[in-house]
Amino acid sequence: MDDSLQKSIFEHEKIGLDVDSIKQSLANCLTYSVGKDTITATDRDRFFAAAYLVRNRLIDRWMDTMRSYYINDVKRVYYFSLEFLMGRTLMNSVHNLGFDQQFREALNELGINLDNVREIEPDAALGNGGLGRLAACFLDSMATLDLPGYGYGIRYEYGMFAQRIEDGRQVEHPDNWLRYGNPWEFPRPEVLYQVKFHGRVVQYPDEKGVAHYHWIDTDDVMAMAFDTPIPGYGTHTVNNMRLWSAKATRDFELHYFNEGNYVKAVEDKNASENLSKVLYPDDTTTMGRELRLKQQYFFVCASLHDILYRYNKYRSNFDALPDKVAIQLNDTHPAIAIAELMRILVDLHHLDWEKAWDITTRTFAYTNHTLMPEALETWTVALFENVLPRHLQIIYEINRRFLKDVMHRYPGDTGIVRRMSIIDEGGEKRIRMAHLAIIGSHKVNGVAQIHTELMKQTIFSDFDRFFPGKIINITNGITPRRWLNQANRRLADLITSRIGSGWVKDLSQLKRLIPLADDASFRREFAAVKRGDKERLVALLKQKLNIDVSADSLFDVQIKRIHEYKRQLLNVLHVVTLYNRIRNNPDAKYVSRTVIFGGKAAPGYVKAKLIIKLINDIADIVNNDPQASRHLKVVFMPNYDVSAAEEMIPAADLSEQISTAGTEASGTGNMKLALNGALTIGTLDGANIEIGGEVGEDNIFIFGLTAAQVAETKAKGYQPWDFYHANPELRAALDMIGSGFFSPEEPDRFKPIVDTLLQHGDQYLLLADYASYMDCQKKVEVAYQDEEEWVRKAILNVANMSKFSSDRTIMQYASQIWDAEPLTARSMGAEIG
Ligand code: 26V
């Protein structure tokens, strides 16, 4: 074949975004990448062919981007996270490349059902919940804003477990998401780093008498890179997410092979490759598991060496590291990176401590995502000493120097030294990772205003005084690409028909919808979109759960991890109260509701799992009660994940954001639901407060105690019984649950739940907020009956959500923490577009 012809076919294959090119390309990919013909191809084959065709259109942009970062020697931002909750990639890439319509048309013309193909793709569920999804939204925003942002994490072989409901209870199933292969990742077998564990530290002086440290006799594991392209929306930029997979070292194998112990060699190989096997599914308790600590160090060590390798291509010393590298620690999970960078600089490159420490603290920044004491990470000193002996020494040295400064500032104050120390000495000695992260970073941020204020006033108040200005707020956001443009095409199209498509990249343009709230024809169209979305969910519920619900009813949605502090139980108490009202007065008029729950419980969190069972048992009784079920339905949607969220959020009328004030750091589901036209019923907690500030108090339903009142109530000695005795409806609901009304075959089944509230102090103040919640739900019903007015409020919610774009969040990180600037990647090859 003549060269130019071959080139043009090749170019066409890479860039053609028109219908004919896509059709041709799909056929090519099916044949040459999947190895199937159209007769034998399955939906999965067609999915892989489609993924390859999309991927081909990312690769040049990706290489251009990496090349231009290199040529321009830009400052890079590295987002270190144990979790990236990406969801599906196919349609996200199609949207971000901007050929949605052509893609649909091409598949249509080939007689391929896009929905069937799209749904073959498993979610990449490498995260638990909000923290992991935030990381995914941030990657989308960094690419869209042309920021040189890299994700670094672990390529878990098993992501978040799949939840099935059997007999009303959660059963966990392994998420073998890589079973059929992952078309989005590129294995890099040559990008391999050695990671050490265990062993011991020897110290010896050099000729000048300066001590040097060697970490020897270690057990080693190799980290192998897998790269995934991250396309920005409507830009040439395609960034990179690099995830590490554990591989046995060859040494390891050889050692045993030489002794002729073949089986032992393979067994050990297995053990070290277990490191990246599974995501820890518990985001409540730290548990102090050795494997989890090893996962943390494994990925941190490989990532830092990789970053320094890139940095050193240009430079021979580390002076400019903070000018060229910013590392964001997503919670304390990767905070061991602070000690590891010190080890690299001091032990391996012989920088003096002060210099190394200056470089380190100017490189790192830390985001805190929770105030819940049980989720703040600590590790026993004993475990650290065994797994990372040299890092323990380094942490002690960091602490010694830090506490010297503290004592200097507060002479004689032993209390403050004890409180601020990295080592918690009350009981078995433990390392407080949050303290290490704060001391080793130049900025620490909270994720919503109230969260940051509470951080400063409570758990980190000593640090806020010691390091004024270090703790800042950057309120979370969500990417409007996935959460509106993709998840809700109908609404996205309606919005675009009125204000153009600029909002996808610049969410502030949604403000132009404000006047349309008063436009009756826009309201009609908006309501029709919501109706369509509800009908689609009705069909899904019928198909998946064989439940009949009416799209006329108010869709009342609470979707999030099951946690006591998130108070799914308060919602349950409302459901039981409604049920009782209907039973007591069957002929009255009711606003009919469908109360929908979704969420996973940590496998070891017994109470959260019991709450799931309670919801399902109540659903059984209510939905099968001929009288009640005309007005009230209860649904538990199994296996809530990113893809389920994309289906459920567009259909919601009411968004339940009812955590005890002061407990939910931010929440991001609250933003997704409001952006899709659901009204929020919520407490003054997390980002709800700021959502209220944007949409206005007439367009949100706020109830309950404030964070200050919660603290005050607890300080005065909270008495849940008082509320129980004072409120007959509350008492009835609790008595029914506790006495087995919903579990006649096992009357005591839910007694532990009622006991938590009445006997064990109701830590999250459900009873204190119950009456206020009931009143507020009443207001919701009144508002819902005025359809025009409800739609108006819904439109105003959408129109006023611009603050909650993760683009805004990322711009704040870039200017207030990273000092990073965008670089628009240019086409370097023959590529255009
Ligand atoms: C903690 C642990 C403990 C050890 C085992 C694994 C594990 C995994 C995750 C966590 C951290 C949980 C903190 C968290 O997810 N916070 C959520 O962060 C969201 C994003 O900032 C925020 O919107 C939610 O309010 C907050 O709960």
Side-chain angles (χ1 to χ4, degrees), residues 278-525:
V278 62
L279 166 80
Y280 274 83
D282 192 334
D283 60 357
T284 20
T285 48
T286 57
M287 293 184 307
R289 289 285 168 80
E290 174 171 325
L291 187 68
R292 167 86 178 171
L293 177 63
K294 285 187 163 178
Q295 286 185 336
Q296 298 183 348
Y297 178 65
F298 164 76
F299 112 80
V300 155
C301 172
S303 305
L304 279 178
H305 283 87
D306 199 41
I307 289 167
L308 294 179
Y309 170 80
R310 197 172 291 128
Y311 170 88
N312 281 325
K313 280 190 194 161
Y314 265 112
R315 269 160 280 264
S316 52
N317 68 54
F318 293 97
D319 292 356
L321 193 73
D323 303 321
K324 292 294 167 188
V325 170
I327 300 176
Q328 191 67 35
L329 303 173
N330 197 22
D331 216 297
T332 56
H333 314 155
I336 186 63
I338 290 163
E340 174 66 1
L341 183 58
M342 286 301 287
R343 189 183 73 86
I344 294 171
L345 298 178
V346 173
D347 290 3
L348 307 185
H349 294 276
H350 307 299
L351 269 67
D352 60 60
W353 183 280
E354 287 78 12
K355 174 108 203 152
W357 184 243
D358 176 62
I359 290 170
T360 297
T361 53
R362 289 195 290 130
T363 300
F364 286 106
Y366 152 58
T367 307
N368 172 281
H369 295 270
T370 182
L371 303 169
M372 307 287 287
E374 60 272 35
L376 292 175
E377 274 192 308
T378 62
W379 297 103
T380 63
V381 166
L383 178 63
F384 239 89
E385 178 140 46
N386 177 251
V387 178
L388 299 169
R390 178 60 187 141
H391 295 80
L392 179 63
Q393 294 177 342
I394 290 171
I395 289 170
Y396 269 123
E397 181 60 13
I398 292 171
N399 198 40
R400 189 187 64 78
R401 289 169 183 255
F402 171 67
L403 292 182
K404 209 170 89 185
D405 292 347
V406 173
M407 287 186 270
H408 190 77
R409 269 276 283 285
Y410 306 102
D413 188 343
T414 52
I416 203 159
V417 172
R418 187 175 33 77
R419 293 199 305 271
M420 295 182 83
S421 173
I422 298 175
I423 313 296
D424 178 356
E425 313 222 15
E428 186 182 3
K429 280 200 204 170
R430 304 185 78 92
I431 303 180
R432 298 159 162 157
M433 297 307 276
H435 292 202
L436 175 64
I438 298 173
I439 296 163
S441 298
H442 63 286
K443 282 285 184 314
V444 175
N445 76 288
V447 292
Q449 272 159 21
I450 183 178
H451 167 62
T452 303
E453 279 316 305
L454 290 171
M455 261 167 71
K456 295 206 276 187
Q457 286 162 22
T458 63
I459 54 172
F460 300 147
S461 60
D462 292 325
F463 290 97
D464 188 45
R465 264 197 306 153
F466 192 81
F467 299 117
K470 191 187 266 204
I471 303 181
I472 63 172
N473 176 247
I474 301 185
T475 298
N476 279 169
I478 57 172
T479 171
R481 270 74 64 183
R482 183 176 292 265
W483 296 112
L484 180 52
N485 200 39
Q486 270 166 252
N488 201 341
R489 286 306 311 158
R490 288 75 50 187
L491 182 56
D493 286 344
L494 173 63
I495 293 169
T496 297
S497 76
R498 298 306 170 98
I499 64 170
S501 61
W503 60 270
V504 182
K505 258 190 118 131
D506 170 15
L507 206 60
S508 69
Q509 294 186 25
L510 286 185
K511 292 256 186 267
R512 291 161 56 197
L513 294 173
I514 293 173
L516 293 174
D518 295 320
D519 174 337
S521 80
F522 183 75
R523 281 204 302 268
R524 217 172 309 119
E525 287 181 63

Side-chain angles (χ1 to χ4, degrees), residues 701-717:
F701 299 94
I702 296 292
F703 72 93
L705 300 175
T706 62
Q709 289 166 339
V710 167
E712 201 183 311
T713 304
K714 286 191 168 183
K716 280 192 191 146

Side-chain angles (χ1 to χ4, degrees), residues 764-779:
Y764 298 107
L765 285 86
L766 281 74
L767 276 70
D769 274 348
Y770 171 87
S772 163
Y773 183 50
M774 297 305 116
D775 289 349
C776 197
Q777 288 283 19
K778 189 93 230 158
K779 288 183 194 141

